[in-house]
Amino acid sequence: MKSERPHSPSPPLHDIAINKRRLLRDLNAVSRIGIGDHGSVTRLVFSIKELRSRQFLIHQMQEIGLQVHIDRIGNIFGRLDGTNAKSAALLVGSHLDTVVHGGRFDGTLGVIAALEAVRILKEQKIVLLSPVEVVCFVGEESSRFGYSTLGSSLVAGEVQGKDLAHAADAQGIKLEDILASMGIYRNHLPSMRRDPSTIKAYLELHIEQGPILEAKKKPIGIVTSIAAPTRFRVVFTGQANHSGTTPMEMRRDALVAASELIVAVEKICRKYSHMKKGRVVGTVGAMKIEPGIINAIPGKAELSVDVRSITANAKRRVVRLVQARIREIARRRKIRAEILPLREEYPVLLDKRLIRLLQACCKSRSITYEIMPSGAGHDAMQMAKVTPAAMLFIPSRRGISHSPLEWSEPEDICLGAQLLLDSIIRIGNETT
Ligand code: GLV
Ligand code: MN
Ligand code: MN
């Protein structure tokens, strides 16, 4: 058994400040990995760029002197011991993978701010009661495989083998094949869960990715709940044929069917977005057409559908309506429609006690904050199933994210990181 280190009393919270220059420098360094046109960042999960960003993090963790553990899928945990060798660890982090042509802060902020917070603890020789682990989860974004929060879902024991069946990227590479190349098969998934008794709590700092904080002029959001997506692919199969010879009434055009569906998703969701309790959003974000040439009727169209809500019932109702519409379009147009489920998630509530603790952290620095739900998905959504979880938001300029225009002001970034550090100290020193 490890010997217990003496518990040094922490100096007052206000005296422990993050190093703003270093935080911004590291954020900048990560954003250069995968940089593209117009300042966009692309680090799709399991791409070379994404692996390089994970290497950068491992290197930084080693420099600080954290104990680095990497699990089978590639989730990275950098641990700083506490005084109580038996205490479960406070996990703090987010993800480093991005969407295609995304921004520089989504996910990265949460990982790099956690790294900076722990670096300060180490530098100032502040030893908390519990260990703190900086965590980078693999594959939070669904952009490559249509499957989100892969790493945190595995840690939480939430991945079912059957869920992976339709997860494939635009090149047709299956997620299951990538996992197999790493020696991970369906029967291994349950054993990749981390024992929840080793986790004290989970904290995540993230950009809001929406317009509320900016509109309300609040520098901090404290998240109450996370809207969960239901995602599926739809494949319409009609008949590819010559665009010059086929009379209009004899066509079985898969793309026109798909276009009807896109409009239907918008219509159905708009109807629901006016309901106070059951706000639902729905998006068709990707489509593949075959043969995809100017002089042929499209014989095949494959679309992705993403429906989200904080209210499970409202979302279920919208999904049912959308799927009924798919069948109706296919019947009327005499084409085949397949619905391939990707994932169904349930909205989660974050921990009330931790929410109060984050409020107290804001108050002690006289920071105004907004209590708000999250429309975007996060790793906290999975972690909340196994441990008390909480999230802090900072404003996103013009509410834009998943875009190169994603931006948060350095001042807000530093404040968010400071509050993350304050809350790590409080939670890390709590006896449970
Ligand atoms: C994650 O960024 C999401 O799609 O909500
Ligand atoms: Mn994202
Ligand atoms: Mn994110």
Side-chain angles (χ1 to χ4, degrees):
M1 185 166 308
K2 279 187 200 156
S3 65
E4 304 222 337
R5 281 198 269 157
H7 178 208
S8 59
S10 304
L13 274 186
H14 285 254
D15 297 344
I16 310 167
I18 57 143
N19 181 328
K20 297 180 183 178
R21 263 174 58 132
R22 193 168 55 189
L23 170 70
L24 298 173
R25 180 201 71 190
D26 282 354
L27 274 171
N28 223 5
V30 178
S31 71
R32 283 198 296 269
I33 309 174
I35 193 123
D37 294 346
H38 310 294
S40 65
V41 180
T42 303
R43 289 192 302 267
L44 283 178
V45 61
F46 301 132
S47 66
I48 295 291
K49 302 285 181 191
E50 189 253 351
L51 292 175
R52 270 191 55 207
S53 69
R54 278 194 262 153
Q55 270 170 348
F56 172 90
L57 179 67
I58 294 167
H59 181 74
Q60 297 294 321
M61 286 175 165
Q62 285 168 339
E63 290 249 299
I64 298 171
L66 304 183
Q67 302 159 45
V68 179
H69 168 71
I70 303 165
D71 70 9
R72 287 180 73 178
I73 193 73
N75 292 319
I76 303 165
F77 304 86
R79 183 179 172 103
L80 180 67
D81 274 337
T83 52
N84 182 353
K86 290 194 193 121
S87 170
L90 166 61
L91 268 51
V92 192
S94 192
H95 60 98
L96 288 177
D97 67 313
T98 73
V99 301
V100 177
H101 294 142
R104 46 174 64 200
F105 302 119
D106 176 359
T108 305
L109 171 67
V111 177
I112 297 302
L115 181 77
E116 176 55 28
V118 169
R119 193 152 42 190
I120 290 291
L121 295 180
K122 187 88 177 162
E123 273 177 1
Q124 301 201 12
K125 300 189 173 43
I126 298 163
V127 185
L128 307 180
L129 203 70
S130 311
V132 182
E133 294 183 26
V134 177
V135 51
C136 167
F137 289 115
V138 166
E140 190 272 351
E141 298 289 2
S142 50
S143 317
R144 180 162 180 198
F145 295 107
Y147 194 92
S148 62
T149 61
L150 173 65
S152 50
S153 297
L154 282 164
V155 166
E158 289 287 323
V159 183
Q160 312 294 326
K162 65 175 170 39
D163 295 347
L164 301 179
H166 304 299
D169 69 10
Q171 279 70 45
I173 299 171
K174 289 181 158 190
L175 175 56
E176 279 205 289
D177 290 342
I178 298 236
L179 297 185
S181 73
M182 297 163 74
I184 301 169
Y185 297 91
R186 281 191 187 196
N187 59 327
H188 296 137
L189 301 177
S191 66
M192 292 170 70
R193 173 176 186 259
R194 174 163 168 169
D195 177 359
S197 72
T198 66
I199 308 172
K200 183 179 193 178
Y202 175 72
L203 270 181
E204 184 169 351
L205 170 67
H206 208 283
I207 53 168
E208 180 202 344
Q209 309 182 274
I212 308 295
L213 293 175
E214 187 179 67
K216 296 201 170 181
K217 298 191 171 25
K218 303 258 180 82
I220 291 290
I222 299 177
V223 182
T224 49
S225 52
I226 304 178
T230 292
R231 292 178 167 134
F232 51 92
R233 285 192 218 284
V234 183
V235 185
F236 285 116
T237 312
Q239 179 63 60
N241 206 342
H242 197 291
S243 67
T245 59
T246 319
M248 293 309 286
E249 62 283 5
M250 289 178 72
R251 296 177 176 219
R252 291 165 60 226
D253 185 327
L255 181 55
V256 184
S259 313
E260 271 200 57
L261 173 60
I262 295 168
V263 177
V265 168
E266 189 196 41
K267 258 195 184 153
I268 294 168
C269 292
R270 267 174 174 258
K271 210 168 133 194
Y272 276 82
S273 12
H274 296 302
M275 296 185 183
K276 224 175 169 198
K277 281 207 123 180
R279 203 182 142 86
V280 181
V281 292
T283 309
V284 174
M287 183 158 67
K288 239 167 47 187
I289 311 157
E290 285 177 25
I293 51 174
I294 193 166
N295 54 351
I297 296 161
K300 191 168 166 190
E302 186 177 327
L303 303 82
S304 66
V305 182
D306 167 310
V307 182
R308 309 191 194 202
S309 179
I310 294 287
T311 320
N313 282 341
K315 185 176 67 160
R316 209 171 294 126
R317 203 145 67 219
V318 164
V319 169
R320 267 206 302 268
L321 288 172
V322 169
Q323 296 192 343
R325 194 83 169 86
I326 292 167
R327 288 187 284 272
E328 184 276 322
I329 294 168
R331 254 194 323 273
R332 179 163 39 80
R333 292 189 166 272
K334 296 188 177 50
I335 62 179
R336 198 153 69 90
E338 279 173 283
I339 300 172
L340 310 174
L342 286 169
R343 201 152 188 208
E344 177 162 13
E345 295 275 4
Y346 293 91
V348 297
L349 292 177
L350 298 184
D351 188 75
K352 289 209 170 64
R353 201 186 59 79
L354 289 183
I355 291 172
R356 284 196 297 276
L357 185 142
L358 294 180
Q359 287 177 279
C361 289
C362 289
K363 283 178 188 153
S364 75
R365 287 189 184 269
S366 307
I367 304 297
T368 54
Y369 56 85
E370 179 75 7
I371 297 283
M372 60 191 297
S374 168
H378 300 288
D379 291 305
M381 194 164 86
Q382 304 304 339
M383 296 308 288
K385 294 170 188 167
V386 289
T387 193
M391 285 193 81
L392 285 167
F393 276 171
I394 60 161
S396 294
R397 187 165 71 192
R398 289 164 55 208
I400 295 177
S401 183
H402 286 186
S403 153
L405 293 180
E406 180 181 284
W407 182 254
S408 293
E409 295 303 331
E411 190 187 331
D412 293 330
I413 289 171
C414 294
L415 180 62
Q418 183 61 55
L419 287 166
L420 188 72
L421 172 58
D422 292 357
S423 49
I424 289 172
I425 295 172
R426 285 192 195 220
I427 300 168
N429 271 338
E430 280 183 329
T431 45
T432 42

